């Protein structure tokens, strides 16, 4: 079965954009579907020396034959979506489900005030208030918006047909397991579940259609916004280690901590992950920058990967060695043979 779900095992910002863009190019993905919350996500894609910060469309847009869909579970900001469609210059590849909920300015205003801004420290993109209105059955959906009419399509039908025909399908979840409304650090979390099961529901497939769940971890942990972060480092210490990052959507500083095996094991359980990706290994071991084979990694980098595999009891099939879509070690074939 050719359907892969890509999710994050920490607090988001682990490099799903990079992993998804690579997978689409390498596997010649026929259909990629965005699951997850909405434009609170910021997936960085670097391809052919250009940097993209995708908030609505799947990161698989870099593979120019890939159909790009947004599942009905996702909330859409039409302005952000239309800008991204313009940016990728290929309207006819894009399909939006008629039941995607629509973010309006009142949702953004509500997200930038009160406890959401002050206590939870949300992204302020309107996704939470939009999902709240959706639960009340009052929200507008994509079929109500004139500008979106030409993109409307039955996303669950398209995705299921593609899987049944044996095509490669890539489902892109957003945020991270510990930001899940159900499994995350409530109330410091996002407005929906964001595990692999939720991704299936978002795009309209059942769990038996999934062949692989790739869980993405970064070589260290970052978290933006409020809420617990075990073994959090000071900003100065994060800077010293080269772990000081700025958030894609909000421009805020990301809080940082070392890789956490306990959190990794639990998120593997919650998502029934079948393979792991570990990104940004070049930040821990700069000599690995741009390396594309496992043999090419330094001894200490291999030691780190082996330790992770032993602790999490899952093969690390993809290892990110730089921000470009092609800067990756892909051991999927090699580990399948074992
Ligand atoms: P919301 O999703 O905007 O409601 O924000 C809720 C919490 O999730 C805040 O702590 C945000 O910083 C965090 N969050 C939401 N989306 C992302 C993301 O894509 N990456 C990292 N953190 C996120
Ligand atoms: Mg991000």
């Amino acid at each position: 079965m050719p359907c892969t779900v890509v999710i994050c095992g920490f607090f988001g910002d682990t490099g799903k954009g990079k992993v998804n863009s690579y997978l689409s190019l390498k596997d010649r993905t026929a259909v990629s579907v965005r699951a997850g919350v909405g434009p609170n996500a910021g997936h960085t894609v670097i391809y052919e020396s250009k940097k993209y910060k995708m908030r609505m469309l799947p990161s698989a847009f870099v593979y120019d034959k890939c159909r790009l869909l947004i599942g009905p579970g996702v909330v859409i900001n039409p302005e952000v979506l239309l800008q991204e469609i313009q940016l990728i210059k290929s309207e006819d590849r894009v399909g939006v489900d008629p039941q995607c909920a629509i973010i309006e300015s009142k949702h953004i205003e509500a997200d930038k005030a009160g406890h959401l801004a002050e206590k939870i420290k949300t992204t302020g993109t309107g996704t939470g208030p939009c999902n709240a209105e959706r639960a009340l059955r009052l929200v507008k959906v994509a079929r109500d918006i004139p500008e979106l009419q030409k993109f409307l399509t039955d996303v669950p039908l398209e995705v299921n047909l593609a899987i049944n025909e044996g095509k490669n399908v890539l489902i892109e979840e957003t945020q991270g397991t510990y930001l899940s409304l159900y499994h995350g650090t409530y109330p410091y979390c996002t407005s929906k579940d964001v595990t692999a099961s939720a991704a299936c529901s978002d795009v309209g497939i059942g769990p038996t259609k999934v062949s692989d769940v790739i869980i993405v971890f970064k070589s260290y942990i970052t978290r933006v916004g409020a809420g617990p972060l075990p073994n959090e480092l000071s900003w100065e210490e994060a800077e010293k280690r080269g772990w000081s990052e700025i958030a894609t959507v909000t421009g805020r500083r990301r809080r940082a901590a070392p890789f956490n095996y306990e959190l990794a094991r639990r998120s593997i359980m919650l998502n029934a992950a079948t393979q792991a990706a570990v990104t940004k290994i070049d930040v821990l071991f700069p000599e690995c920058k741009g390396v594309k084979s496992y043999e090419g990694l330094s001894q200490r980098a291999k030691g780190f990967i082996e330790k992770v595999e032993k602790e999490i009891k899952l093969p690390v099939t993809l290892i990110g060695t730089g921000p470009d879509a092609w800067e990756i070690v892909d051991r999927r074939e090699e580990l399948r043979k074992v």
Side-chain angles (χ1 to χ4, degrees), residues 31-309:
V31 178
S32 184
V33 204
R34 245 298 297 269
V37 187
N40 50 349
H43 290 181
T44 304
V45 173
I46 298 182
Y47 179 60
E48 292 182 338
S49 308
K50 281 206 200 96
K51 185 172 182 170
Y52 306 86
K53 294 179 174 187
M54 307 308 287
R55 295 173 56 196
M56 295 266 40
L57 287 177
S59 304
F61 78 91
V62 292
Y63 176 52
D64 60 10
K65 294 190 179 68
C66 184
R67 176 103 170 116
L68 306 168
L69 302 175
I70 303 181
V74 176
V75 306
I76 285 180
N77 180 327
E79 209 179 307
V80 175
L81 172 62
L82 293 168
Q83 270 172 13
E84 286 184 8
I85 294 173
Q86 250 185 356
L87 180 79
I88 68 159
K89 299 190 190 81
S90 47
E91 297 206 326
D92 44 342
R93 287 203 280 154
V94 175
V96 171
D97 195 86
Q99 301 234 91
C100 289
I102 298 297
I103 297 175
E104 295 181 79
S105 50
K106 62 180 176 185
H107 301 131
I108 298 174
E109 281 159 32
D111 208 8
K112 288 184 168 163
H115 81 290
L116 289 176
E118 286 150 28
K119 180 183 170 188
I120 312 297
K121 301 198 193 306
T122 66
T123 60
T125 52
T127 51
C130 179
N131 272 326
E133 204 179 26
R134 185 177 210 175
L136 294 172
R137 269 74 30 105
L138 291 169
V139 84
K140 283 188 185 152
V141 292
R143 63 171 173 263
D144 304 324
I145 309 299
E147 295 77 19
L148 297 182
Q149 294 304 313
K150 63 178 167 197
F151 302 109
L152 298 184
T153 186
D154 183 338
V155 169
L157 183 65
E158 277 204 43
V159 180
N160 280 282
L161 283 176
I163 295 172
N164 294 347
E165 286 166 13
K167 292 181 176 161
N168 276 340
V169 172
L170 182 61
I171 298 176
E172 180 170 345
E173 181 55 287
T174 61
Q175 283 71 45
T177 299
Y178 294 103
L179 293 175
S180 161
L181 180 63
Y182 301 162
H183 305 291
T185 53
Y186 184 88
Y188 303 102
C189 58
T190 192
S191 54
K192 274 177 64 178
D193 182 21
V194 286
T195 58
S197 318
C200 293
S201 165
D202 284 343
V203 308
I205 62 166
T208 55
K209 286 278 162 79
V210 177
S211 38
D212 266 305
V213 175
I214 300 181
I215 191 162
V216 185
F217 301 113
K218 194 158 58 182
S219 302
Y220 49 96
I221 298 184
T222 56
R223 169 167 205 169
V224 278
L229 177 60
N231 308 316
E232 181 169 359
L233 305 176
S234 67
W235 180 254
E236 291 66 37
E237 180 57 28
E239 272 187 325
K240 226 186 271 169
R241 298 189 189 195
W243 301 357
S244 51
E245 298 182 1
I246 301 293
T248 306
V249 174
T250 57
R252 296 182 291 186
R253 282 178 176 182
R254 290 180 183 154
R255 301 154 59 198
F259 195 98
N260 187 312
Y261 301 115
E262 209 179 307
L263 290 179
R265 280 191 289 266
R266 185 170 173 82
S267 58
I268 288 166
M269 175 188 81
L270 291 167
N271 292 287
T274 58
Q275 310 177 23
V278 173
T279 60
K280 292 208 177 185
I281 197 159
D282 56 303
V283 175
L284 296 193
F285 311 107
E287 69 277 10
C288 297
K289 173 82 172 73
V291 169
K292 288 174 186 156
S293 71
Y294 192 69
E295 298 68 45
L297 295 176
S298 63
Q299 216 48 47
R300 55 185 193 149
K302 284 186 209 161
F304 175 73
I305 295 296
E306 280 163 23
K307 166 93 171 137
V308 169
E309 287 184 322

